[in-house]
């Protein structure tokens, strides 16, 4: 019989890795299995924001907004290398309208019918006031009013927006967040199995017996199903249990275009259909625009940004920017399927972004994780463990709040100083290269570069600023197995490498793996 662990987690997305880290840090033995690469699904296809969800206020989802707002700064302190504050500019015009099915729009229609669905400026400012005060903000600056005729943020925009508000949220490198949670789980004793599909899981002799695709048989005292969009199939086909709970698969698509403006602020745009999108500075030379909200039919892994979604995002952004955003400008698209808990709402936009934890105790415990958003992944993990702790009285208490992820052991405002230290230690690094390493690895950049005295010590350059030394680190420390893992999840260097360089990287990884 194989060694029995306390917790077996199925799913290597942000929720699965967050739960594995939390459990391992409490002293539990943990195994996590992911059928593909870490963050290969939804967790690498987000809008890449730690945010409270300003538009969720229109749905009176105050609990979710408050929890997410409070989490922003908790997460910032734990990962200042991969997350940082950003300012969002929200332009306003009298023609902006609510989506017609929100509680706020229905109330306005009842009491202010002459508004005809328009978003009044005073209501937006009131929402931003709530956004500033609900989460106990200490680090992030508050909202301010902006005159777009004078402020640089108005330069890229068309005339017709008499005012704007500027508020705070945070950027996060979503797929790196997942990998660093997995690494920290492993540092606390967890076993991380990537590219290991779970074929069956059933209760036997007071334990869970889990069989993986390699034929290995694992035993665990509790099972966590954190498979995101695949959760229903895992419950039905892998575990073989009936359930009335389900997820609603909602596709969110994004486009990336050459950068549309030079400043470092983001835009929050409101559409004539009541929807919103973001335009965000991305990887130095690009602008990220998204997202859509479309019910998704078919397999989650088949999600793609359709031509219709691409054209919708281009037209939406073009209503604001002086420079039109054309389909032919798009250099990359990505699409992820959000596994939203199905609360019966009519539209995909209205479906709740909150999470539901379903505990089945008809034998050794099974915890199914429905829904959730990246900003609240740590709180979700805490609450998941809260449900499982009665079965593990030996486990420690909550511990993850503000505790650094690997490489994040420096102050929130210390990125510039850390880049300076890295260049002092390794003077052969160009400034952009050093900045990318710090924004990717934080203090671990020093361990990666080790005793390098010059560029030759980093091995061959494989395109962009990628070197053999960095590839070796990603294989050894961060579970990377293919060029795609490195270029689109551990980094976003796929935006800058040629097809020939990608092929050379793949060949190199085949040789050294």
């Amino acid at each position: 019989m194989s060694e029995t662990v306390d917790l077996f987690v199925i799913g290597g997305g942000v929720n699965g890795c967050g739960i594995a880290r939390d459990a391992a840090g409490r002293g539990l033995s943990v195994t996590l299995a992911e059928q593909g690469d870490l963050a290969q699904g939804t967790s690498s296809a987000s809008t890449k924001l730690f945010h409270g969800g300003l538009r969720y206020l229109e749905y009176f989802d105050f609990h979710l907004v408050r929890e997410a707002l409070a989490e922003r700064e908790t997460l910032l302190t734990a990962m200042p290398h991969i997350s940082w504050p950003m300012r969002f500019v929200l332009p306003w015009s009298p023609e902006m309208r609510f989506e017609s099915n929100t509680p706020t729009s229905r109330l306005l229609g009842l009491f202010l019918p002459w508004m005809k669905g328009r978003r009044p400026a005073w209501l937006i400012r009131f929402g931003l006031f709530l956004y500033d005060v609900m989460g106990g903000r200490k680090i992030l600056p508050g909202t301010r009013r902006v005159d777009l005729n004078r402020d640089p943020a108005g330069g890229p925009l068309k005339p017709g927006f008499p005012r704007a508000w500027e508020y705070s949220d945070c950027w996060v490198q979503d797929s790196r967040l997942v990998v660093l949670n997995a690494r920290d789980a492993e540092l606390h004793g967890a076993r991380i199995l990537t590219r290991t599909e779970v074929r069956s899981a059933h209760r036997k002799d007071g334990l869970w017996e889990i069989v993986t695709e390699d034929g290995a048989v694992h035993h665990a005292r509790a099972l966590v199903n954190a498979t995101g969009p695949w959760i229903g199939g895992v419950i039905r086909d892998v575990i073989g249990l009936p359930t009335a709970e389900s997820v609603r698969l909602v596709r969110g698509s994004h486009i990336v275009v050459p950068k549309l403006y030079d400043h470092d602020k983001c835009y929050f745009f409101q559409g004539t259909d009541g929807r919103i999108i973001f335009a965000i500075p991305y990887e130095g030379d690009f602008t990220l625009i998204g997202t859509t909200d479309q019910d998704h039919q078919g397999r989650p892994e088949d999600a793609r940004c359709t031509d219709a979604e691409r054209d919708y995002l281009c037209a939406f952004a073009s209503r604001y920017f002086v420079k039109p955003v054309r389909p032919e400008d798009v250099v990359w698209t990505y699409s992820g399927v959000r596994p939203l808990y199905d609360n019966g709402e009519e539209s995909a936009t209205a479906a709740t972004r909150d999470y539901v934890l379903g505990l089945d105790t008809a034998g050794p415990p099974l915890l199914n994780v429905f829904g959730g958003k990246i900003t609240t992944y740590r709180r979700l993990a805490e609450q998941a463990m809260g449900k499982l702790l009665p079965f593990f009285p030996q486990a420690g208490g909550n511990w993850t709040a503000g505790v650094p992820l690997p490489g994040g052991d420096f102050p929130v405002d210390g990125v510039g100083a850390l880049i300076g230290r890295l260049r002092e230690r390794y003077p052969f690094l160009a400034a952009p290269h050093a900045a990318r390493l710090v924004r990717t690895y934080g203090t671990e950049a020093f361990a990666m570069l080790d005793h390098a005295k010059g560029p030759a010590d980093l091995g061959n350059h494989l395109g962009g600023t990628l070197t053999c030394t960095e590839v070796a680190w990603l294989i050894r420390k961060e579970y990377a197995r293919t060029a795609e893992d490195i270029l689109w999840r551990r980094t976003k260097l796929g935006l800058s490498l040629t097809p020939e360089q990608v092929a050379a990287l793949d060949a190199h990884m085949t040789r050294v793996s």
Side-chain angles (χ1 to χ4, degrees), residues 485-506:
D485 297 347
I486 289 177
L487 298 178
W488 295 109
R489 285 183 286 276
R490 306 307 183 275
T491 74
K492 288 296 182 286
L493 289 171
L495 288 166
S496 57
L497 265 65
T498 66
E500 293 76 20
Q501 290 170 326
V502 173
L505 172 60
D506 241 337

Side-chain angles (χ1 to χ4, degrees), residues 364-414:
L366 163 67
L367 185 71
N368 292 308
V369 180
F370 296 91
K373 60 198 294 285
I374 195 167
T375 311
T376 52
Y377 89 91
R378 191 198 66 83
R379 290 284 292 135
L380 182 153
E382 279 189 345
Q383 293 190 30
M385 291 309 303
K387 285 185 172 289
L388 292 171
L389 282 180
F391 304 94
F392 301 105
Q394 79 277 20
N398 293 344
W399 67 277
T400 57
V403 175
L405 289 174
D409 50 339
F410 63 96
V412 170
D413 60 354

Side-chain angles (χ1 to χ4, degrees), residues 252-301:
S253 295
H254 302 75
I255 61 174
V256 175
V257 298
K259 69 177 181 179
L260 298 169
Y261 52 89
D262 292 326
H263 62 76
D264 61 357
K265 295 175 183 177
C266 312
Y267 290 101
F268 178 118
F269 293 150
Q270 305 169 82
T272 55
D273 58 356
R275 286 281 300 128
I276 66 99
I277 62 168
F278 296 101
I280 306 171
Y282 190 60
E283 296 295 317
D285 297 321
F286 304 94
T287 300
L288 170 66
I289 299 171
T291 180
T292 59
D293 266 323
Q294 298 284 331
D295 283 311
H296 180 75
Q297 308 299 325
R299 302 188 310 167
E301 58 266 36

Side-chain angles (χ1 to χ4, degrees), residues 207-454:
L207 296 172
W208 281 98
E209 183 173 275
I210 303 107
V211 180
T212 51
E213 63 179 305
D214 56 3
V217 179
H218 307 262
H219 294 90
R221 298 179 181 89
L223 181 67
V224 173
N225 176 12
T227 51
W230 292 269
I231 188 170
V234 169
I235 295 173
R236 181 182 63 253
D237 302 328
V238 175
I239 302 174
L241 292 178
T243 179
E245 295 177 300
S246 63
V247 291
R248 181 175 188 164
L249 301 184
V250 175
R251 187 176 64 251
S253 295
H254 302 75
I255 61 174
V256 175
V257 298
K259 69 177 181 179
L260 298 169
Y261 52 89
D262 292 326
H263 62 76
D264 61 357
K265 295 175 183 177
C266 312
Y267 290 101
F268 178 118
F269 293 150
Q270 305 169 82
T272 55
D273 58 356
R275 286 281 300 128
I276 66 99
I277 62 168
F278 296 101
I280 306 171
Y282 190 60
E283 296 295 317
D285 297 321
F286 304 94
T287 300
L288 170 66
I289 299 171
T291 180
T292 59
D293 266 323
Q294 298 284 331
D295 283 311
H296 180 75
Q297 308 299 325
R299 302 188 310 167
E301 58 266 36
D302 293 335
R304 299 291 184 273
C305 178
T306 66
D307 289 349
E309 288 176 301
R310 177 203 62 199
D311 294 348
Y312 170 83
L313 292 172
C314 287
F316 199 144
S318 295
R319 287 197 290 269
Y320 281 84
F321 287 118
V322 172
K323 180 181 179 181
V325 181
R326 304 168 302 173
E328 55 265 34
D329 297 328
V330 175
V331 298
W332 182 47
T333 70
Y334 67 89
S335 189
V337 176
R338 285 165 278 185
L340 307 183
Y341 184 73
D342 192 350
N343 59 345
E345 290 289 349
E346 181 178 345
S347 74
T349 304
T352 181
R353 267 57 177 173
D354 213 343
Y355 52 85
V356 173
L357 303 173
L359 183 64
D360 180 333
T361 58
L366 163 67
L367 185 71
N368 292 308
V369 180
F370 296 91
K373 60 198 294 285
I374 195 167
T375 311
T376 52
Y377 89 91
R378 191 198 66 83
R379 290 284 292 135
L380 182 153
E382 279 189 345
Q383 293 190 30
M385 291 309 303
K387 285 185 172 289
L388 292 171
L389 282 180
F391 304 94
F392 301 105
Q394 79 277 20
N398 293 344
W399 67 277
T400 57
V403 175
L405 289 174
D409 50 339
F410 63 96
V412 170
D413 60 354
V415 168
L418 189 59
I419 293 171
R421 282 174 47 204
L422 192 69
R423 295 196 71 198
E424 183 178 352
R425 173 83 174 271
Y426 304 100
F428 56 86
L429 290 177
H433 190 184
R436 185 184 71 78
L437 292 179
V438 166
R439 278 303 191 193
T440 307
Y441 306 102
T443 56
E444 289 200 319
F446 292 89
M448 179 199 299
L449 299 176
D450 198 19
H451 298 298
K453 302 297 184 185

